[in-house]
DNA sequence: CTAAATACGACTAAAAAAGACGTATTTAAA
DNA sequence: TTTAAATACGTCTTTTTTAGTCGTATTTAG
């Protein structure tokens, strides 16, 4: 599993849609929601949240709407997540906010260090992934991915062989 | 946000605990659950699942218990996740199993390709992370992490400066 | 035989995510 | 100046997922 949040998906949908438009052109939340079949309310809230964080610019009133206001090549997937869900924390003992119910195992727990490591690495991974790279199909196919996969496949085969 | 599943945490706790023991020594689920204060049932189920997948070996009866049966340096965090939660799929349109309710936006959706890319990259990331590396504090501090962080910090500073 | 352990299926409770509703505000245009 | 179409928010309900519990069978050392 490991599903990403739906809000993030909606944000990607909206960004991908708006990215294809001419600079300065506005897009209404309703336009996106009807086009892609997602609930207007949710899409609206997502865009409002992104507006507050400065990723999109909003214009009110009739003929109002949203437009992307930052270069997506310079916005990481981590930033997008943070805008919509707050700081990444793979376990609840990390980033303990006031009022949040802390983990009752804290103190006895033997994996705080591993979990902290994982959290750091995941953030690094998300930080290294720009929205442009994610949304642009050209980027997806480049990046010399194939060699990596072959190496992985070879490693897998070796591991399987070893287990016998 | 972006929390990892609790089962995975329990698995890490158990593995870390068993890793410190002499080879061949068994550990009862109860020992772990009482020591770290997690529910016995859940820990038990997790260990049983790992037993079925061959990561640990179980011995029944009185004085029974579990022991690690594979070299954790050769088991990836991806594998652990898969053992407990099934294949990683960041969106529900990926790995559509029989019976699972598919995404109603499929067909209209404009981000299937980005999401597929993200899924692949996340799997690669998890595959490149061994359980030994995660659980062993020695590994955590090595790995030349600091240079990467400095590079990231510099990139961040540049991005912030640019926005103004 | 008994106690202590794994093994498993089914159920319940809690938490989180997703979505719906209601209303106020802004603004272009009729 | 009225109206329609849009953003902006706050609250609520529903749904889904996750976490935890209960009950019982099976295995095995002592
Ligand atoms: S179990 Fe350990 S790592 Fe997980 S949240 Fe609790 S204290 Fe943190
Ligand atoms: S919204 Fe698009 S990407 Fe997300 S699950 Fe549905 S079809 Fe897949």
């Amino acid at each position: 599993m490991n599903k990403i949040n739906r809000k993030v998906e909606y944000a990607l949908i909206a960004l991908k849609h708006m990215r294809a438009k001419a600079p300065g052109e506005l897009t209404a939340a309703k336009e996106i929601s009807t086009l892609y079949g997602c609930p207007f309310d949710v899409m609206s809230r997502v865009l409002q949240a992104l507006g507050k964080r400065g990723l999109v610019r909003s214009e009110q009133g009739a003929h109002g709407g949203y437009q992307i206001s930052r270069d997506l090549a310079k916005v990481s997937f981590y930033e997008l997540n943070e805008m919509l869900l707050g700081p990444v924390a793979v376990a609840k003992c990390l980033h303990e906010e006031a009022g949040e119910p802390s983990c009752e195992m804290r103190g006895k727990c033997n994996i705080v260090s591993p979990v902290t490591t994982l959290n750091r690495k995941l953030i690094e991974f998300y930080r290294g992934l720009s929205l442009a790279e994610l949304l642009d199909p050209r980027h997806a196919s480049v990046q010399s991915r194939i060699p990596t996969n072959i190496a992985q496949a070879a490693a897998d085969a070796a591991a399987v062989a070893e287990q016998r």
Side-chain angles (χ1 to χ4, degrees), chain A residues 90-94 96 102-116:
Chain A
V90 298
K92 56 180 173 183
C93 63
L94 310 169
E96 298 192 57
S102 167
C103 178
E104 65 283 357
M105 303 174 75
R106 194 73 190 272
K108 302 175 190 172
C109 183
N110 62 342
I111 57 161
V112 175
S113 157
V115 156
T116 306

Side-chain angles (χ1 to χ4, degrees), chain A residues 6 9-10 13:
Chain A
R6 208 79 205 249
E9 278 204 337
Y10 290 144
I13 288 174

Side-chain angles (χ1 to χ4, degrees), chain A residues 3-6 9-10 12-13 36 38:
Chain A
K3 292 209 185 71
I4 63 173
N5 194 288
R6 208 79 205 249
E9 278 204 337
Y10 290 144
L12 291 175
I13 288 174
Y36 300 108
C38 63

Side-chain angles (χ1 to χ4, degrees), chain A residues 99-140:
Chain A
E100 272 188 30
S102 167
C103 178
E104 65 283 357
M105 303 174 75
R106 194 73 190 272
K108 302 175 190 172
C109 183
N110 62 342
I111 57 161
V112 175
S113 157
V115 156
T116 306
T117 302
L118 176 63
N119 200 62
R120 179 171 43 73
K121 292 199 172 198
L122 187 64
I123 289 175
E124 273 173 26
F125 169 68
Y126 281 165
R127 278 221 169 110
L129 194 59
S130 80
L131 295 184
E133 185 181 351
L134 208 51
L135 293 176
D136 197 328
R138 283 172 301 177
H139 284 258

Side-chain angles (χ1 to χ4, degrees), chain A residues 46-58 66 83:
Chain A
V46 165
L47 286 167
Q48 282 166 35
L50 297 183
K52 226 177 211 171
R53 301 305 214 89
L55 181 53
V56 303
R57 201 181 67 76
S58 74
Y66 301 89
M83 287 177 187

